[in-house]
Amino acid sequence: MTQVLIQGLMLSGLYALIAVGFTLIFSVGRVLNLAYGAYLMLGAYVYYYLVQSLHMPKIAGMVLAIAVGALAGWLKYKLLVKRLNGDAVAIEISTLILAVVLQSGVVLIFNDSSKILLPIVNGITRFDGVTITHNLLTASIMSWLILGGLLYFIRYTHMGRAIQAVSMDTKGAQISGVDTEQVNQLTWMISGALGAIAGVFFASYTQLSPSMWVTPLIIAVAVVIVGGIGSIVGSLIVAHIIGFMEISVSTFIGAELRGVFTMLLIIGVLVIMPKGLFGREEL
Amino acid sequence: MALLEINNLEAFYGMAQSLHGISLNIEEGSIVGIIGSNGAGKSTLMDSIMGLVNTKGSIKLEGEELTGKKSADVVKLGVGYAPERAHLFPYMSVYDNLLVGGITAKEDIDKNLSMVLDLFPNLIDRKNQETGTQSGGERQMVSVGRALMTSPRLLLVDEPTIGLSPKVCLDIARALRKLNEETGLTILITEQNVNFAMSLASHIHVFETGELRLSGPTDELRSNPELAKAYFGH
């Protein structure tokens, strides 16, 4: 039971970090950014290249990976999303295609074999018979710090309130003096940066591969559908439900079934509560 | 020079033209009413001033051209807008809604907040309430309050009495008159409620199907037979 509690808590923090950038974009732009998983892949590969190939310091690798993620988010908004002018279906299809194109780019540069991303922090600790890797512990703590910072930013700063305002009523925000274009650009950059950080942590927890964007995308979609698309707090709570559920299934039933229960949860919530457990389309 | 000068304004929603050659001036320190039925173009005029629809022609605020500017820039230049149906942020508190209005006038936030709460004391006890759970009257007060948080020189108020009780209409009229008398704020108000508009405005413009049909001082228009027939039935 201790193992389920500790590992569930750590995995949930990571899942929350993965989902929150996806939620942010949907809330503000009403866009299901299906290329979101590609930010994670991009961030992880940039970090891998800089730290394990060029032997740069880990902190520099992380900062540059975040910068690349933010740039990717900004470029996607400027070159794709803005030009498609609110056509949700076209945006969703094109973002999915973009993810596949980025995957091909990664295969071209790094080939298609899986790679091990060395732990960001080495070492293990044993607590009550449970092995805790310092890497996942760091990922979890960092996730919570980042999520706490993001929630503070959204709730208590002028720009955060502007982001909330755009997510709830674009016209209301415009006539209040909010520069909605600036808010959109910033939101896509934050989403890209969050995806890149999550990607580094996720790859160090699992592995690096060109198809690694699919699983985090499924996690993000699962968290926001079950939580209620657009609700950051709902997403954080559901990330814990899914994280604990996956660890419980792995521990008590079988690791091969952990994803199946997540899918069943999505279907169940869609049928019974289509707006999600905390469903309302705002931050 | 008038505070707001509109010349030969045309407005378009896609291919549909909603305003046809509107020209009018708003003098500084005045309250001006725009009246007309549904579809007359009143809200379109407001949205045009705010840069929310495609327009041709000219809209100048103290000589500065507003057409082609983003809404955020129009707000920065000194135009506050309380639109029809309020367009508040329903899951944010009254206080946070007002703070969003203060984004372009951060240095005036404390002063403006105190002015808004003085104008609408009902909001003091409700400042932590989400606006989505408020009554129509309270939402209208927050909407006007949010517009005032932008430190406007010109306040646009679009159909403030729609769906509200007579008591709340009176409260809003009192607040707008107080604002105009005590601060000299210029107010442009649109209304279907002709009595409400005439009780506040010194000058009235009558819109019909996107055109300006009639203009004049309120006292003159009150006895205008065309207007009396259209709005008072005699």
Side-chain angles (χ1 to χ4, degrees):
Chain A
M1 186 50 80
T2 312
Q3 179 175 336
V4 170
L5 278 175
I6 292 172
Q7 293 200 335
L9 198 61
M10 291 195 295
L11 187 65
S12 301
L14 183 56
Y15 280 8
L17 184 63
I18 289 171
V20 78
F22 187 75
T23 301
L24 201 58
I25 289 299
F26 186 83
S27 298
V28 173
R30 294 287 181 268
V31 171
L32 278 176
N33 177 19
L34 298 179
Y36 180 69
Y39 295 150
L40 281 86
M41 177 183 68
L42 208 57
Y45 270 94
V46 168
Y47 178 86
Y48 169 83
Y49 177 70
L50 296 173
V51 174
Q52 288 180 219
S53 298
L54 299 184
H55 306 292
M56 282 175 70
K58 288 174 183 172
I59 186 74
M62 184 61 98
V63 169
L64 287 170
I66 292 169
V68 169
L71 180 67
W74 183 76
L75 284 174
K76 188 154 64 178
Y77 172 73
K78 292 292 276 186
L79 301 178
L80 199 66
V81 176
K82 194 177 170 195
R83 283 160 199 263
L84 290 172
N85 201 20
D87 184 339
V89 175
I91 291 171
E92 282 154 22
I93 291 170
S94 57
T95 54
L96 192 58
I97 291 169
L98 183 65
V100 176
V101 169
L102 285 171
Q103 177 179 349
S104 304
V106 164
V107 171
L108 205 64
I109 298 168
F110 295 96
N111 75 47
D112 60 356
S113 64
S114 298
K115 293 173 175 52
I116 300 295
L117 193 65
L118 297 174
I120 299 164
V121 180
N122 291 308
I124 56 165
T125 297
R126 288 193 176 278
F127 176 78
D128 200 15
V130 180
T131 302
I132 302 168
T133 65
H134 290 178
N135 192 49
L136 186 55
L137 183 63
T138 305
S140 181
I141 291 169
M142 287 299 294
S143 296
W144 279 111
L145 288 175
I146 291 163
L147 292 169
L150 182 70
L151 272 181
Y152 180 86
F153 170 74
I154 295 283
R155 295 267 163 92
Y156 301 111
T157 67
H158 284 299
M159 184 48 85
R161 282 192 206 96
I163 291 174
Q164 285 189 72
V166 174
S167 80
M168 290 179 207
D169 192 313
T170 305
K171 179 176 176 179
Q174 286 174 317
I175 61 169
S176 302
V178 174
D179 186 335
T180 51
E181 170 66 12
Q182 190 186 46
V183 165
N184 271 310
Q185 288 183 34
L186 181 70
T187 309
W188 278 86
M189 286 173 74
I190 293 173
S191 176
L194 288 169
I197 303 169
V200 175
F201 287 140
F202 185 73
S204 70
Y205 172 66
T206 55
Q207 63 180 5
L208 202 61
S209 80
S211 61
M212 65 167 280
W213 61 276
V214 178
T215 304
L217 179 63
I218 292 170
I219 292 167
V221 171
V223 167
V224 296
I225 286 177
V226 176
I229 288 175
S231 168
I232 283 188
V233 174
S235 296
L236 299 186
I237 295 169
V238 172
H240 280 72
I241 294 173
I242 292 177
F244 275 99
M245 192 174 70
E246 289 199 356
I247 293 292
S248 302
V249 170
S250 294
T251 308
F252 300 119
I253 303 174
E256 64 279 4
L257 290 178
R258 62 190 282 176
V260 173
F261 280 81
T262 305
M263 296 299 153
L264 290 175
L265 183 66
I266 294 177
I267 294 168
V269 168
L270 281 175
V271 171
I272 298 164
M273 298 178 75
K275 285 192 167 181
L277 301 180
F278 306 91
R280 57 188 206 182
E281 291 180 354
E282 67 359 295
L283 292 171
Chain B
M1 189 200 304
L3 178 67
L4 187 77
E5 294 172 279
I6 298 175
N7 278 306
N8 202 23
L9 180 69
E10 296 180 347
F12 303 85
Y13 289 105
M15 298 294 285
Q17 186 168 352
S18 301
L19 291 180
H20 305 267
I22 302 291
S23 295
L24 56 88
N25 289 346
I26 311 288
E27 297 301 324
E28 183 154 21
S30 62
I31 300 183
V32 174
I34 308 277
I35 61 174
S37 54
N38 271 336
K42 306 182 299 296
S43 298
T44 305
L45 175 73
M46 300 298 213
D47 284 355
S48 300
I49 297 169
M50 294 306 298
L52 293 165
V53 291
N54 292 327
T55 56
K56 285 183 187 167
S58 166
I59 305 171
K60 288 182 178 171
L61 184 75
E62 267 191 340
E64 179 142 12
E65 187 60 56
L66 298 184
T67 50
K69 285 194 165 33
K70 289 191 291 189
S71 299
D73 294 329
V74 175
V75 173
K76 275 183 205 154
L77 286 171
V79 184
Y81 184 23
E84 188 183 351
R85 290 192 294 276
H87 284 277
L88 297 177
F89 314 118
Y91 301 112
M92 289 167 80
S93 66
V94 168
Y95 184 67
D96 281 341
N97 268 268
L98 295 176
L99 287 184
V100 172
I103 275 174
T104 55
K106 294 190 186 83
E107 63 285 358
D108 294 337
I109 279 182
D110 291 340
K111 185 187 76 179
N112 287 339
L113 202 54
S114 136
M115 175 186 64
V116 169
L117 295 180
D118 180 51
L119 206 57
F120 302 115
N122 291 7
L123 299 181
I124 295 172
D125 291 338
R126 307 200 180 264
K127 71 176 187 176
N128 295 317
Q129 186 180 347
E130 288 185 353
T131 56
T133 64
Q134 290 191 294
S135 68
E138 286 165 349
R139 282 205 298 274
Q140 191 56 254
M141 289 172 196
V142 179
S143 176
V144 173
R146 185 182 64 184
L148 292 173
M149 291 296 292
T150 65
S151 293
R153 288 185 288 161
L154 170 66
L155 176 66
L156 311 179
V157 189
D158 193 11
E159 307 233 22
T161 66
I162 214 162
L164 301 184
S165 70
K167 155 90 175 64
V168 178
C169 292
L170 271 177
D171 287 345
I172 288 171
R174 208 173 290 131
L176 293 175
R177 194 175 294 116
K178 185 179 172 190
L179 258 179
N180 174 257
E181 287 171 359
E182 292 183 2
T183 67
L185 181 66
T186 311
I187 299 173
L188 177 61
I189 185 166
T190 70
E191 262 302 337
Q192 287 190 55
N193 181 340
V194 178
N195 282 327
F196 181 87
M198 286 191 158
S199 72
L200 272 176
S202 58
H203 205 96
I204 294 283
H205 299 282
V206 183
F207 275 41
E208 207 175 282
T209 57
E211 292 180 17
L212 179 57
R213 290 287 185 208
L214 210 57
S215 288
T218 306
D219 290 339
E220 277 180 26
L221 286 189
R222 233 186 270 278
S223 51
N224 181 291
E226 202 182 332
L227 194 70
K229 190 176 176 194
Y231 289 97
F232 302 115
H234 55 80

